Amino acid sequence: MKVSLALSGGAARGAFHLGVLSALEEIGIEIEAISGTSIGSVIAVGYGSGLRPYEMLEIFKSKAFKKVLQFNYFQKGVLKIDESASILQTFAPIKKLEAMVRPTFITCVDVLSGKIVRFSEGDAITLAIASSALMPLFRPIAYENYLLIDGGFMDNLPIAPLKAFDVPIFGVDLHPLLESQKRHFFGVYFRSLFLTFIASSQSQIEACDVYITDSRLEGSTLFGFGDLDKCFSLGYESGHQQILTYLSQTMYNKCF
């Protein structure tokens, strides 16, 4: 069976994506095309380059990968990504999106035009970094005639490029929408920012044939490396369960 896969943003929770990919491989489902925003685009590039989920997890956990993030002395962002780091070349050995082993799409926002820009060609590492440029933590990335920032600002579950493929769409979301109990000012303020960020995902969720997330992700950090193994395990568990449920329902519908 073939499917297409949309991977949301969610920073360090991206290890959940890797767990889902591992479950897909174990079950024997082939990825026809892959689309990502933010950390989802980074993983899409790694997988599109032929890396396996466990290989990417080990890279994320390595000291070399942690050193990629550098303090930027508040110059156009608090942090910057060292694009020349050799570990990034290891993560994306195929340099161009159009050369990937499967169609690979990266979603960014161009702050100049105010529009979503989707790339299926171009420099894989630069565009993955651009798609992950969450302002104000990271500076925007100049690319061609664009000034690019995190695609999650306008499309955090980028299924649009996958509609051209005649296969089911699986969406993996690192931001489960849960009821909040926070009523103090700053709690409500950050909750409102979160709701704005994920608002674009609602229609995309409804268009997915399979929507994979896990409420337990709420307890995992976004900006740290301590929960990588936990998130991977959650992704494997949730992915395995929801994929098998979908397959059993599909088989039942075909029989009746």
Side-chain angles (χ1 to χ4, degrees):
M1 180 180 181
K2 294 183 178 181
V3 304
S4 59
L5 189 64
L7 304 177
S8 83
R13 293 179 185 175
F16 184 90
H17 289 326
L18 300 178
V20 173
L21 282 169
S22 182
L24 286 165
E25 287 188 352
E26 182 178 293
I27 294 170
I29 293 179
E30 182 180 345
I31 308 299
E32 176 80 5
I34 189 166
S35 172
T37 285
S38 197
I39 189 62
S41 70
V42 175
I43 291 170
V45 163
Y47 201 66
S49 291
L51 270 66
R52 306 294 296 276
Y54 278 107
E55 291 179 296
M56 288 186 275
L57 179 65
E58 290 307 308
I59 290 174
F60 283 153
K61 291 164 63 177
S62 70
K63 292 182 179 179
F65 188 82
K66 295 173 185 177
K67 290 180 180 178
V68 169
L69 299 179
Q70 300 177 348
F71 187 62
N72 202 31
Y73 301 100
F74 299 99
Q75 298 177 16
K76 299 181 180 179
V78 178
L79 301 170
K80 67 177 179 179
I81 297 175
D82 181 7
E83 298 178 37
S84 64
S86 60
I87 192 68
L88 294 181
Q89 314 303 320
T90 303
F91 197 90
I94 297 179
K95 310 305 179 188
K96 297 292 184 180
L97 289 178
E98 59 269 31
M100 296 282 167
V101 298
R102 58 182 55 79
T104 302
F105 302 91
I106 289 179
T107 294
C108 302
V109 171
D110 175 32
V111 294
L112 301 179
S113 66
K115 295 180 179 180
I116 296 171
V117 187
R118 307 188 195 278
F119 295 93
S120 58
E121 298 179 351
D123 188 90
I125 292 176
T126 300
L127 290 171
I129 291 173
S131 181
S132 306
L134 179 63
M135 294 286 289
L137 291 178
F138 297 99
R139 63 179 176 85
I141 301 297
Y143 184 82
E144 297 181 345
N145 296 320
Y146 304 108
L147 190 61
L148 302 172
I149 61 172
D150 196 311
F153 281 112
M154 295 181 70
D155 187 2
N156 200 43
L157 192 62
I159 69 168
L162 304 179
K163 294 180 179 179
F165 299 88
D166 189 24
V167 295
I169 297 174
F170 285 21
V172 187
D173 190 357
L174 304 179
H175 293 288
L177 180 58
L178 306 176
E179 184 174 343
S180 175
Q181 302 299 323
K182 297 178 180 178
R183 299 182 182 275
H184 56 84
F185 176 79
F186 284 105
V188 173
Y189 172 72
F190 286 111
R191 172 70 169 178
S192 66
L193 291 179
F194 169 73
L195 292 174
T196 300
F197 195 77
I198 68 169
S200 64
S201 301
Q202 299 310 302
S203 60
Q204 286 90 326
I205 290 171
E206 295 174 2
C208 290
D209 295 282
V210 176
Y211 172 67
I212 301 172
T213 191
D214 194 305
S215 61
R216 291 171 291 180
L217 279 168
E218 185 71 12
S220 298
T221 181
L222 288 167
F223 303 107
F225 294 91
D227 291 334
L228 295 178
D229 286 324
K230 171 187 173 183
C231 287
F232 184 94
S233 296
L234 286 178
Y236 176 82
E237 178 186 338
S238 298
H240 205 273
Q241 179 181 358
Q242 294 180 61
I243 293 163
L244 289 180
T245 298
Y246 171 77
L247 292 176
S248 64
Q249 290 174 343
T250 302
M251 292 286 292
Y252 178 84
N253 292 335
K254 285 183 178 180
C255 293
F256 296 95

